[in-house]
Amino acid sequence: MKFAVVVFPGSNCDRDMYHAAKDALGEEAELVWYQSANLSDYDAILIPGGFSYGDYLRSGAIASTSQIVADLKRQAEKGVPILGVCNGFQILLEAGLLPGAMLRNKNLKFICHFEELKVANRDTMFTTAFQQGEAISLPVAHGEGNYYCDDTTLKQLKDNNQIVFTYTNNPNGSINDIAGIMNEQGNVLGMMPHPERAVEELLGGNDGLKIFKSIVNNWREKYVTSA
Amino acid sequence: MKKVKIYITLKSGVLDPQGKAVQTSLNTLGYAEVQEARVGKYMELKLDDHTDAEKQVEEMCAKLLANPVIEDYQYTIEEGVTQ
């Protein structure tokens, strides 16, 4: 399986993401510069964290206007798995690939530590390696991770089982304790916690690796075993 | 040239932690009368004279300058502005 890690000016978790896919997972991965990438060459697309364009205007807003986002939307429609982490999640929100928006953390602090999450939906291409309701631990590192959406959107997220991860002890004020959501089609996941920073015991935990393993397993099941 | 002044504010009902901190600081300084503070953004654009400024600015706000999920915007357009 071949992963693209899209690099924007100001991305800073791109190498961690590459390491997770390439070394920890053992699949093919390439770092692709946002201006020269052809996303149709890849089986899955990873949008890493960081501070694209210095978070000018709003986090992810400037990156969401770049040419590559049009390509990203085409791949999303085709059903290609897309994972956006932290600033990658913010870019997916600003691009309209996921509903809602991010606000400043409720306590105004940049938070950076391991946080306990609950797998709220294990029936997705990103989470089949977990148990339903499993408590996992992943690092968070953000100042604007306070997810917000209106009541109608929240109801849709709940009704369609689009809430994938929730916080056990909500660290940022996020509505409904939301840590990660997916689109209705189920192939675009955005999350604030960093699975790529928890892919081996040396890093303090390997719960994050299961997300990458789920992507590969589900992709193989769909495209390889049926071939 | 046309000068556009754009004011972007958080929608009422959307939590504003930054505004809350400003309010607390003002209260600490002795301004006990401050019941609420909301922090927003102000932008200025200069546009060509021959553009349909109203239509264009409306589009710019909706597409990029404001996030309609959490923010409202207002703007004024001044005609015939020199440098």
Side-chain angles (χ1 to χ4, degrees):
Chain A
M1 192 173 180
K2 197 170 172 187
F3 287 82
V5 179
V6 181
V7 185
F8 289 97
S11 295
N12 66 11
C13 302
D14 43 332
R15 287 181 177 271
D16 303 52
M17 200 67 113
Y18 175 82
H19 170 74
K22 174 91 174 165
D23 305 321
L25 192 63
E27 297 292 322
E28 275 185 81
E30 278 174 19
L31 291 163
V32 295
W33 182 239
Y34 78 114
Q35 282 175 322
S36 47
N38 182 359
L39 295 180
S40 55
D41 293 344
Y42 302 90
D43 304 312
I45 301 159
L46 306 171
I47 316 290
F51 297 87
S52 58
Y53 294 91
D55 273 355
Y56 294 163
L57 194 63
R58 296 178 305 276
S59 306
I62 307 286
S64 77
T65 64
S66 55
Q67 283 297 318
I68 198 171
V69 171
D71 195 5
L72 197 61
K73 285 179 179 168
R74 279 194 294 275
Q75 303 311 314
E77 275 167 27
K78 276 165 49 185
V80 172
I82 297 173
L83 169 64
V85 169
C86 201
N87 190 229
F89 185 10
Q90 293 163 337
I91 293 169
L92 293 175
L93 291 170
E94 284 286 344
L97 277 161
L98 291 171
M102 283 299 168
L103 296 170
R104 194 76 68 91
N105 289 351
K106 198 173 176 184
N107 64 5
L108 287 172
K109 286 180 183 156
F110 186 96
I111 53 172
C112 187
H113 53 246
F114 271 83
E115 192 66 54
E116 188 183 294
L117 308 179
K118 197 177 99 181
V119 180
N121 184 1
R122 60 91 55 190
D123 192 21
T124 82
M125 65 168 77
F126 304 95
T127 50
T128 41
F130 297 106
Q131 300 299 315
Q132 179 69 25
E134 185 176 341
I136 64 170
S137 182
L138 291 181
V140 292
H142 59 252
E144 288 186 33
N146 182 351
Y147 178 79
Y148 174 84
C149 64
D150 61 28
D151 293 340
T152 317
T153 308
L154 184 60
K155 187 173 183 308
Q156 284 169 353
L157 290 176
K158 286 180 181 170
D159 290 350
N160 302 328
N161 291 318
Q162 287 171 255
I163 301 172
V164 181
F165 297 105
T166 53
Y167 298 109
T168 306
N169 305 299
N170 191 336
N172 53 27
S174 179
I175 198 165
N176 216 64
D177 301 328
I178 285 173
I181 55 166
M182 63 178 184
N183 63 346
E184 209 175 334
Q185 209 183 329
N187 65 312
V188 179
L189 171 66
M191 59 191 296
M192 287 315 291
H194 289 268
E196 79 284 5
R197 293 192 193 176
V199 292
E200 51 194 308
E201 281 304 331
L202 188 64
L203 297 172
N206 56 13
D207 285 343
L209 188 58
K210 287 188 181 173
I211 293 179
F212 296 95
K213 278 187 172 160
S214 301
I215 298 173
V216 173
N217 291 342
N218 288 299
W219 183 84
R220 291 232 164 92
E221 210 163 285
K222 191 171 171 189
Y223 294 104
V224 182
T225 49
S226 62
Chain B
M1 224 163 3
K2 293 178 181 179
K3 186 170 174 180
V4 186
K5 297 179 174 176
I6 305 171
Y7 303 86
I8 295 168
T9 48
L10 280 176
K11 281 184 194 290
S12 61
V14 172
L15 185 79
D16 181 7
Q18 200 178 188
K20 183 78 193 146
V22 170
Q23 184 215 331
T24 308
S25 293
L26 287 171
N27 292 155
T28 308
L29 285 173
Y31 300 104
E33 66 270 37
V34 181
Q35 298 295 311
E36 189 183 22
R38 309 274 293 170
V39 176
K41 288 178 196 145
Y42 169 69
M43 295 175 207
E44 286 182 357
L45 305 179
K46 282 180 180 163
L47 305 185
D48 292 344
D49 268 324
H50 53 79
T51 190
D52 180 351
E54 175 110 25
K55 176 175 168 282
Q56 296 298 88
V57 172
E58 187 64 39
E59 214 176 281
M60 291 177 207
C61 286
K63 269 192 187 167
L64 176 68
L65 302 179
N67 181 335
V69 179
I70 46 172
E71 293 170 327
D72 289 325
Y73 54 87
Q74 287 177 290
Y75 52 86
T76 59
I77 301 168
E78 285 173 50
E79 310 267 345
V81 176
T82 50
Q83 290 287 6

